[in-house]
Amino acid sequence: MLTLKGKSVFPGITIGPLALFHRNTISTAQRPIQDAEAEVARFQDARKVAIEQLKDLYEKALEKVGEEQAAVFEVHQMMLDDDDYIDSIEGQIRDEMLNAEAAVDRTAQQFAEMFRSMDDAYMQARAADVLDISRRVEQQLCGGPGVDFSKYDHVIIAADDLAPSETLQLDTDKILGFVTSAGSTNSHTAILARTLGIAAVVSTDTPLHTDVDGMMAIIDGLTGTVYINPDEETLQAMEAKQREEADRKRRLEEVRGAASETKDGRSVKIFANIGNPGNIPQVLDNDAEGIGLFRSEFLYLENSDYPTEDQQFEAYKKTAEALGGKTVVIRTLDIGADKQVDYFQLDKEENPAMGMRAIRICLTRPELFKTQLRALLRASAFGKIAIMFPMIISVDEVKQCKAILAGVRAELDAEGVAYDKDMEVGIMVETPAAAIMSDELAKEVDFFSIGSNDLTQYTLAIDRQQTKLDAFFDAHHPAVLRLIQQTVENGHKAGIWVGICGELGADLTLTEAFLRMGVDELSVSPPLVLPLREKVRSLDLRK
C-alpha cells in the first residue's frame, strides 16, 4: 500500500480505480522557418481560436459554477490579449526566425518564471495560468486533438496538476475524484473542484507513474490522505468512514427548514456568501436564511468598462426578488488586492492588499461610488437589501460614505424614485483598526459584519494566500478571537447586530465560542449552511 499525504480540496471520501491523466503530446521544438510574417499569422490564428474556446468555457463555467468562478476564463482571455505576451512571441518569430510553437513555449516559460519569482502568492499562482493559455495556443498550432475526457469514467484521476480548463471539463457524474502531486488549495483548479463538489487532494509532492495505473485508490478528503492499493484493513475502515459520511449527509436533511437555535433557545441567523446572482439557486437549495455577503465586484470583473447604473440595478433587483423578503447584505465595490481590473488603471503596488482598494477607491472616485449607491437604493424597493462598506479603518471614512449616500438619497427623492428609506447600512470589520475602534464605529452604523479572512491576515501580518507561511498561520490565534469578541461586545453596547462572513464563520470548532461571544449571524458558503445549522442545534450553552 502506498500512502500519500497532501492538502484536501473537498471533504469527500471516494474509492475507485486510479487513472493517470494523459495529455496529447505537443511538439514545441525549434525548427527553421522561411517566412516570419506567415508564422506570425499562424500564431495569431491559433490565438484567436484559443480565445473563442475560452469564451465557450466561460459560458459553460457560468452555468455550472457561477460568475465568480467562471471569471478565471475571462482572465485567460485577457492574458491572451496582453500586449507584452503577444509582442514577446511575435518579436521572437521575427527577430530570431523561430517557429510559432517554440516562440509561444519560450514566452510561456519566461512569463511563468517571472510570476513564480514574485513575493505575492496570488501572482505566483498565475504561473499556472500563463502555461495553461500557452498550451491551448500550442495545441492549435500543432493541429492535434485535445484531451479526450470521455474516457475517464468512474475513476480517480492522477495528474501532476490540472489546469482550470481541464477541471471544468471533467464530467462530475463520472469522475470520482482527483489527486495531484503539485497544485495549491488556493488555485483556480482547487476552487473549481470545491464548487463542483469533486473529492480531491492536491500537493502530495509524489508524482505517480504507469505502475499504479488501474490500481484501487482511496481519497480521504477529510484528512488529505490518498491510499493506493490499500490493504484489506484500510479498505474496510475507509468504507465504514464513507458510510458514516453518507449517514451524516442524510442527517443534514433533517435540519432543513428547522430553526437555527441551540437546545437552550439561543438563536443565530445562518446566511450565505455569494459572488453573483448565478449562485442564488445554491442559496435556496441549501436553505440559507438570507445572504450575508453579496460580492458586488463580479459586475466590474466581467465588464470591459465600468458597469452602468442599470446593469447593476438589474443584478441587485434580481437577487432581492429571488430571496423573497429575506435579507441580502451587499458589499460595495471591493476591487484591488487580488482582484485587479485593467480599466480601473490602478497603479502597480508592491503590496496591493494594503494599497488602493475597496472603500479607498470609492472615496477617491465618488462618481463611481454614487453610481453603485443609486443602483443599490433603487433595488432596495424590490426586497430587503442592506449595504455594507468594506475595508473601513476610521469613523471619518464611515461619515464620508454616509454623506455620499445621503446625497444620492436626496437625488432620488427629487426624482421621485422609490427606495427603502429604512435600509440598513453597515460596515465590514476586517482591519484591526476597525475592531479596536468598534465602540466609536458602532454609533454610526446599523450592523457590523466581521470579515475574518482579512482580519486574520492583517492581525497576524501573514498573507493568507502565501502557502509557504502555513506553519506560522493560526486562524484561531487569541489576538484574532479577542478582536472578534471586542467587536461583538461594542456592537451590542450600541444596540446593533454583529455577524461574521469570513471562513471562520464556517469553522465548526469555533461555533460554540462565537455563540457564547454573542455573535448574531454567521454567513458561510451555501453548501456549509446545513452542517452549521446542525452544529448550532447540537449545542447547549447552559453546559
Side-chain angles (χ1 to χ4, degrees):
M1 179 173 70
L2 174 62
T3 302
L4 307 179
K5 194 70 177 174
K7 295 176 180 178
S8 175
V9 167
F10 185 78
I13 296 173
T14 190
I15 302 171
L18 199 68
L20 294 185
F21 187 67
H22 294 289
R23 298 181 181 91
N24 294 320
T25 303
I26 295 174
S27 174
T28 58
Q30 295 185 28
R31 57 178 174 76
I33 63 171
Q34 302 300 320
D35 187 341
E37 293 310 312
E39 203 67 12
V40 167
R42 280 186 69 231
F43 159 65
Q44 284 292 357
D45 288 344
R47 186 181 71 86
K48 289 170 184 175
V49 171
I51 289 175
E52 290 303 312
Q53 290 177 341
L54 288 167
K55 288 178 180 177
D56 291 340
L57 282 171
Y58 171 79
E59 294 299 328
K60 184 176 182 180
L62 198 61
E63 182 179 340
K64 292 180 71 172
V65 296
E67 175 61 41
E68 185 178 16
Q69 312 309 343
V72 60
F73 299 108
E74 286 195 315
V75 172
H76 281 195
Q77 292 174 55
M78 288 188 282
M79 292 175 83
L80 280 176
D81 273 329
D82 181 76
D83 289 340
D84 290 338
Y85 179 80
I86 294 170
D87 290 346
S88 175
I89 293 168
E90 293 186 349
Q92 291 179 63
I93 293 172
R94 291 188 174 106
D95 299 341
E96 303 179 40
M97 297 298 283
L98 273 183
N99 56 307
E101 295 89 340
V104 171
D105 185 61
R106 185 188 291 183
T107 296
Q109 299 303 328
Q110 290 171 346
F111 276 55
E113 185 55 38
M114 176 186 70
F115 283 126
R116 290 191 198 103
S117 66
M118 294 182 179
D119 293 331
D120 181 74
Y122 177 82
M123 297 308 294
Q124 289 171 355
R126 301 292 69 76
D129 292 324
V130 76
L131 293 174
D132 189 13
I133 63 164
S134 299
R135 182 178 179 84
R136 183 172 295 281
V137 174
E138 291 161 8
Q139 186 77 56
Q140 291 304 312
L141 288 166
C142 291
V147 176
D148 181 7
F149 290 92
S150 65
K151 68 181 181 180
Y152 298 105
D153 191 354
H154 289 87
V155 294
I156 294 172
I157 289 178
D160 54 347
D161 199 1
L162 288 172
S165 56
E166 291 167 341
T167 307
L168 183 69
Q169 292 176 82
L170 299 177
D171 187 336
T172 52
D173 292 329
K174 294 182 178 180
I175 297 301
L176 300 177
F178 67 78
V179 53
T180 63
S181 56
S184 125
T185 55
N186 293 315
S187 70
H188 289 309
T189 294
I191 293 168
L192 284 170
R194 275 195 291 274
T195 307
L196 292 167
I198 301 174
V201 170
V202 301
S203 192
T204 65
D205 292 328
T206 308
L208 297 175
H209 304 290
T210 53
D211 56 333
V212 298
D213 200 13
M215 284 186 177
M216 180 65 70
I218 303 170
I219 288 179
D220 183 352
L222 299 173
T223 63
T225 309
V226 179
Y227 304 95
I228 299 174
N229 195 24
D231 55 41
E232 191 61 30
E233 182 181 357
T234 301
L235 180 60
Q236 289 180 4
M238 295 307 300
E239 286 175 339
K241 193 171 183 180
Q242 191 178 44
R243 288 192 295 272
E244 289 172 7
E245 276 297 293
D247 289 340
R248 188 185 70 83
K249 289 179 181 178
R250 282 192 290 271
R251 289 198 305 273
L252 287 180
E253 287 303 309
E254 297 175 5
V255 303
R256 185 181 295 277
S260 302
E261 167 178 298
T262 63
K263 291 179 178 179
D264 56 310
R266 166 80 163 86
S267 294
V268 62
K269 294 177 181 176
I270 300 182
F271 287 3
N273 301 331
I274 67 169
N276 62 80
N279 299 142
I280 292 171
Q282 290 178 287
V283 174
L284 301 176
D285 290 346
N286 287 280
D287 199 34
E289 297 162 43
I291 294 174
L293 173 61
F294 180 106
R295 304 176 180 93
S296 66
E297 50 272 11
F298 82 93
L299 288 158
Y300 301 83
L301 291 168
E302 72 175 18
N303 265 29
S304 58
D305 202 351
Y306 297 103
T308 65
E309 179 183 326
D310 283 342
Q311 276 182 287
Q312 297 187 60
F313 164 70
E314 290 298 333
Y316 306 145
K317 175 176 176 271
K318 177 182 178 181
T319 304
E321 288 179 330
L323 267 288
K326 294 179 179 178
T327 299
V328 180
V329 180
I330 300 180
R331 180 177 70 187
T332 59
L333 173 66
D334 189 8
I335 290 295
D338 60 342
K339 297 183 286 291
Q340 297 290 329
V341 179
D342 288 344
Y343 61 81
F344 272 69
Q345 296 182 331
L346 298 173
D347 293 334
K348 297 286 185 183
E349 296 176 308
E350 288 294 323
N351 192 346
M354 294 189 178
M356 183 60 74
R357 61 173 292 197
I359 207 64
R360 297 165 187 173
I361 293 176
C362 292
L363 292 178
T364 53
R365 303 186 187 187
E367 291 307 313
L368 173 70
F369 196 25
K370 286 178 182 178
T371 298
Q372 182 172 33
L373 293 178
R374 280 183 61 93
L376 286 165
L377 283 168
R378 287 172 56 199
S380 71
F382 298 88
K384 192 176 181 182
I385 286 179
I387 292 178
M388 178 165 66
F389 304 127
M391 278 298 291
I392 294 295
I393 63 171
S394 71
V395 172
D396 184 58
E397 285 176 344
V398 178
K399 288 182 175 179
Q400 289 183 60
C401 292
K402 289 170 65 178
I404 294 172
L405 182 61
V408 171
R409 281 177 165 157
E411 288 178 6
L412 294 179
D413 287 337
E415 297 167 16
V417 177
Y419 64 90
D420 179 8
K421 297 188 187 308
D422 297 320
M423 181 179 65
E424 289 186 312
V425 177
I427 65 167
M428 288 193 74
V429 176
E430 51 191 330
T431 65
I436 293 168
M437 291 296 296
S438 55
D439 55 338
E440 296 297 322
L441 289 167
K443 299 172 185 176
E444 300 292 331
V445 295
D446 300 309
F447 67 91
F448 286 152
S449 187
I450 299 169
S452 63
N453 299 353
D454 272 332
L455 182 62
T456 304
Q457 171 177 246
Y458 294 133
T459 302
L460 303 184
I462 293 177
D463 183 345
R464 59 190 171 101
Q465 299 192 78
Q466 177 54 276
T467 56
K468 293 178 181 177
L469 296 176
D470 282 353
F472 300 95
F473 187 85
D474 178 11
H476 294 195
H477 195 290
V480 176
L481 298 180
R482 285 186 186 184
L483 288 174
I484 291 173
Q485 181 164 9
Q486 180 180 343
T487 301
V488 174
E489 290 174 352
N490 285 332
H492 287 175
K493 284 177 186 176
I496 68 172
W497 62 269
V498 183
I500 298 176
C501 64
E503 289 183 15
L504 285 188
D507 188 334
L508 301 185
T509 65
L510 288 174
T511 304
E512 181 175 350
F514 289 150
L515 293 185
R516 291 189 183 281
M517 288 180 190
V519 170
D520 303 292
E521 174 251 19
L522 295 167
S523 192
V524 299
S525 190
L528 302 178
V529 168
L530 292 178
L532 180 56
R533 181 175 296 149
E534 181 187 44
K535 177 66 176 180
V536 169
R537 290 177 61 83
S538 73
L539 297 174
D540 188 339
L541 302 182
R542 293 170 298 191
K543 294 181 180 179

